[in-house]
Amino acid sequence: MGQVSATLVCSRQFGDGLRVSEAISEPGFGVYVHWPFCTQKCPYCDFNSHVRIGGPDEARFLAAYLRELHHVAGLTDKRTVTSIFFGGGTPSLMQPESVGAILDRIGALWPVAADAEITLEANPGSVEAARFAGYRAAGVNRVSIGVQSLRDDALKALGRIHTVAEARTATRIAQATFARTSFDLIYARPGQTDAEWRAELGEALSMAGEHLSLYQLTIEPETAYARLHAAGKLVVPDGEAASRLYEATAELTEAAGLAGYEVSNHARKGAESRHNLLYWRYGPYAGVGPGAHGRLVRDGARTATATLKSPEAWLAQVEQRGHGLASSSVLSRAEIADEMLVMGLRISEGLDLARLAGLAGVTPAAETLRHLASLGLLTESADGRRLVATPRGRMVLDAVIRELAKSLAPAPR
């Protein structure tokens, strides 16, 4: 591995400051819609998801989404929407007509690019799969299915209520209905061996189209799994075993033509999730719905927004005030720098140092770059503009980010 380059943007010599001589462009603009309701809460999940007996009052919630979209549109510069993402929770529990109404309102509030990516997360149950044609008619052009495992015993342990057979059927229906599809799997599960994961991933790759999201199981605070883990009733692979599973994941996906473009995401060239890339490239996006976050830009200032997590509290506030915002704050340059490091080093293309200097006014110290490069943790992109975490660096990414954050200094003008 070579050292980090001497020519990252302009006349910069290695060890000198980064001089910015170009305008900083945004990597698109997205809208995230959070539907917080699920049929059942999974024991590993720490997302803002809720179970309501009999389901929510969808018509009432839909009216609130439409109101909040109108409010949020007034908080940002007029931008062209390049991606829309329905996440959750389980947005495939929404009626297709509700999805269509939200898309229509987005189109009335912002210009929408003709090739905008519109993704909806779905569970592979028969109810959700039966709605796929309706979502396609509503305007959804990409679906991401929460398969999670191709082993029925693992699905049961993960608290999933679908079967492997249903997951395979839903995947086939999705691939026949949408031009673009993806599905998720969770690995590093309790007791999972290298051989078992290789076999399961091989099956997944034979099913996959253009994209797979493959997540290591983590024990998140305040989940059922966290309580079991603390009581010694749930044992997950240790660091060394998890690293082997991660390396096997990279090996098999690369061989199948689905390169890892982010720590947990793999795609054929050109099939990456555009909406998620917008996050990792630190682009602006609006977030609506209970527990949604946003990063808005207006008159050059970047604002972090977050809505109330409780669906009922969010609904009441939207009906009273037109929005469910719990917080809205202009980000400091230091906060922007921290967020850009966390996001940008997750992707294989790396962190754009010109954007870091332009948006946050800082650049990492040359000594720190040389040190991390000498350890085989960082390198540069082919175009010489970006810092890239190596495969070894991704294994200890939190530590790499901490070192870089400590070394940030004002970028020379």
Side-chain angles (χ1 to χ4, degrees):
M1 185 199 73
Q3 289 284 345
V4 176
S5 172
T7 56
L8 282 167
V9 172
C10 308
S11 60
R12 176 179 185 242
Q13 296 299 312
F14 193 71
D16 294 339
L18 180 67
R19 294 176 174 83
V20 181
S21 65
E22 57 188 82
I24 302 302
S25 60
E26 298 288 6
F29 174 68
V31 178
Y32 175 73
V33 180
H34 190 80
W35 183 257
F37 300 107
C38 286
T39 303
Q40 179 173 299
K41 182 76 172 181
C42 296
Y44 58 86
C45 177
D46 70 337
F47 294 166
N48 188 45
S49 59
H50 305 265
V51 177
R52 296 291 182 264
I53 303 301
D57 183 341
E58 187 166 331
R60 188 178 170 194
F61 271 91
L62 172 60
Y65 279 92
L66 302 182
R67 286 195 68 186
E68 185 165 71
L69 279 165
H70 181 80
H71 178 84
V72 173
L75 302 180
T76 188
D77 294 339
K78 201 68 171 179
R79 294 171 179 269
T80 297
V81 174
T82 55
S83 65
I84 301 166
F85 197 102
F86 290 83
T90 308
S92 57
L93 294 176
M94 298 173 70
Q95 295 295 328
E97 293 78 10
S98 297
V99 173
I102 290 171
L103 292 176
D104 287 346
R105 180 58 56 91
I106 291 171
L109 293 169
W110 291 279
V112 177
D115 64 346
E117 176 189 271
I118 303 174
T119 301
L120 183 134
E121 289 184 333
N123 275 346
S126 57
V127 172
E128 291 96 322
R131 293 174 171 165
F132 283 175
Y135 296 132
R136 182 68 188 91
V140 173
N141 55 29
R142 181 177 182 272
V143 70
S144 178
I145 305 173
V147 170
Q148 312 310 2
S149 177
L150 294 175
R151 299 290 181 267
D152 280 320
D153 58 342
L155 288 174
K156 184 175 180 180
L158 290 168
R160 307 298 289 175
I161 58 176
H162 65 270
T163 65
V164 172
E166 286 177 317
R168 291 182 180 277
T169 298
T171 301
R172 287 195 296 270
I173 295 172
Q175 291 170 346
T177 306
F178 299 93
R180 303 186 59 207
T181 63
S182 177
F183 64 86
D184 302 353
L185 292 179
I186 295 173
Y187 67 99
R189 304 188 302 260
Q192 189 176 42
T193 66
D194 292 16
E196 288 169 344
W197 173 233
R198 284 176 174 272
E200 186 174 353
L201 180 54
E203 293 176 31
L205 289 166
S206 72
M207 295 167 53
E210 60 172 23
H211 192 285
L212 278 177
S213 296
L214 305 170
Y215 299 105
Q216 281 196 26
L217 177 65
T218 55
I219 305 300
E220 302 293 348
E222 299 182 10
T223 62
Y225 266 17
R227 293 187 287 274
L228 290 171
H229 187 262
K233 297 179 180 180
L234 183 76
V235 179
V236 296
D238 61 20
E240 183 177 339
S243 294
R244 289 197 305 270
L245 293 169
Y246 179 81
E247 290 166 353
T249 302
E251 173 196 332
L252 293 179
T253 53
E254 183 79 27
L258 274 72
Y261 70 97
E262 189 267 347
V263 171
S264 301
N265 286 272
H266 309 260
R268 303 194 189 282
K269 188 172 179 59
E272 300 86 356
S273 168
R274 297 176 208 162
H275 189 84
N276 286 335
L277 276 175
L278 185 147
Y279 294 155
W280 297 318
R281 290 169 175 165
Y282 206 60
Y285 61 97
V288 298
H293 291 257
R295 292 294 183 272
L296 303 176
V297 176
R298 187 171 188 177
D299 299 329
R302 303 182 87 86
T303 299
T305 65
T307 57
L308 295 166
K309 288 186 175 182
S310 163
E312 289 73 26
W314 173 87
L315 179 63
Q317 182 170 305
V318 174
E319 291 177 337
Q320 292 170 6
R321 301 172 58 185
H323 66 81
L325 290 174
S327 64
S328 177
S329 59
V330 175
L331 293 167
S332 68
R333 284 194 153 194
E335 290 170 326
I336 289 171
D338 287 344
E339 291 188 345
M340 291 188 74
L341 285 176
V342 169
M343 293 294 188
L345 288 172
R346 292 185 63 87
I347 47 178
S348 61
E349 70 183 40
L351 172 68
D352 186 330
L353 289 180
R355 288 195 82 235
L356 178 67
L359 296 179
V362 295
T363 189
E367 181 180 353
T368 299
L369 297 182
R370 284 194 294 267
H371 175 64
L372 292 172
S374 72
L375 296 175
L377 303 177
L378 278 185
T379 186
E380 65 170 346
S381 62
D383 62 9
R385 295 174 51 88
R386 297 171 176 83
L387 284 183
V388 179
T390 65
R392 182 178 174 186
R394 288 188 182 191
M395 304 284 282
V396 290
L397 192 56
D398 288 349
V400 171
I401 290 170
R402 282 196 298 271
E403 289 303 307
L404 288 172
K406 288 189 295 185
S407 81
L408 293 177
R413 296 293 178 180

